[in-house]
Amino acid sequence: SKLVNNQIIKELNDGKSKTFYFLIKRIADIFISLILLFLSLPLLILFSLLIFIEDQGPIFYTQIRVGFKGKNFKIFKLRTMKMNSENGKALWSSEKDPRITKIGKILRITRIDEIPQIWNVLRNDMSLIGPRPERPELANSLSKDLPLFRLRSNILPGLSGWAQVNYPY
């Protein structure tokens, strides 16, 4: 919040389109995503099999997240937790969370569980770089404590962002 000033807020909210910038960014997102998807396909197949072998449950996990302009979308991930581990409640994960499967620990450490979000980038729900999308319940809670939190929704959420690069899981 120290870096946000009135000029930035004005630019985010004035509705002026930076068409060329967003066009180039979108083309780069699609091009890089297709390359990443192609290169990661063997990993996706391997870990999909391992997830299924571990507990015969679903391979993918979907969750509602808050995206561009506050619109909700469905995010895709490889499942890292035991089935029905949240019972419909939004819970933060802890360091030694007993809900995380053995394969899930590997997926989380390596961030391989995030690879299916490339599909979200191709669908234009997300970009490769941007603020990580939060669950609606957590976004509402965070926006009460952080007055500028909702400014994040003025750009597409990202597969990777500042916090993910600078801090541990």
Side-chain angles (χ1 to χ4, degrees):
S1 66
K2 294 175 189 171
L3 301 176
V4 176
N5 60 36
N6 289 337
Q7 180 62 31
I8 291 171
I9 292 171
K10 183 179 180 240
E11 286 178 20
L12 287 172
N13 292 317
D14 70 3
K16 290 181 183 173
S17 174
K18 296 176 176 64
T19 307
F20 183 71
Y21 168 79
F22 288 112
L23 177 65
I24 296 300
K25 184 170 180 11
R26 180 70 186 133
I27 291 169
D29 278 348
I30 291 169
F31 181 72
I32 294 168
S33 292
L34 289 172
I35 291 170
L36 287 172
L37 193 58
F38 176 75
L39 293 175
S40 65
L41 200 54
L43 279 175
L44 283 172
I45 292 168
L46 171 67
F47 280 101
S48 295
L49 287 170
L50 293 173
I51 291 167
F52 185 77
I53 289 168
E54 185 170 12
D55 68 2
Q56 286 77 47
I59 294 163
F60 295 101
Y61 175 73
T62 60
Q63 194 175 65
I64 300 299
R65 298 289 178 100
V66 179
F68 184 64
K69 298 293 184 189
K71 179 184 165 202
N72 289 350
F73 69 98
K74 192 180 288 188
I75 200 169
F76 300 93
K77 298 177 91 170
L78 289 174
R79 187 171 55 84
T80 61
M81 290 189 173
K82 296 172 185 165
M83 292 181 292
N84 302 318
S85 59
E86 289 187 316
N87 294 323
K89 297 179 220 163
L91 301 171
W92 291 102
S93 180
S94 61
E95 189 174 331
K96 294 185 180 184
D97 198 324
R99 302 172 296 161
I100 300 172
T101 63
K102 291 174 189 169
I103 298 301
K105 287 178 188 173
I106 296 167
L107 291 170
R108 284 177 173 227
I109 289 168
T110 59
R111 308 244 184 203
I112 292 171
D113 63 319
E114 309 277 352
I115 292 174
Q117 291 173 43
I118 293 171
W119 179 246
N120 289 106
V121 175
L122 292 172
R123 289 176 38 156
N124 205 27
D125 292 329
M126 295 173 67
S127 181
L128 289 173
I129 305 295
R132 291 292 294 154
E134 291 292 347
R135 294 174 70 173
E137 310 89 270
L138 297 176
N140 288 334
S141 174
L142 289 168
S143 66
K144 290 175 186 170
D145 297 332
L146 305 168
L148 301 174
F149 184 80
R150 294 232 183 251
L151 282 178
R152 298 160 39 104
S153 72
N154 286 321
I155 59 173
L156 277 175
L159 179 65
S160 184
W162 182 84
Q164 191 174 27
V165 171
N166 289 292
Y167 294 101
Y169 201 97

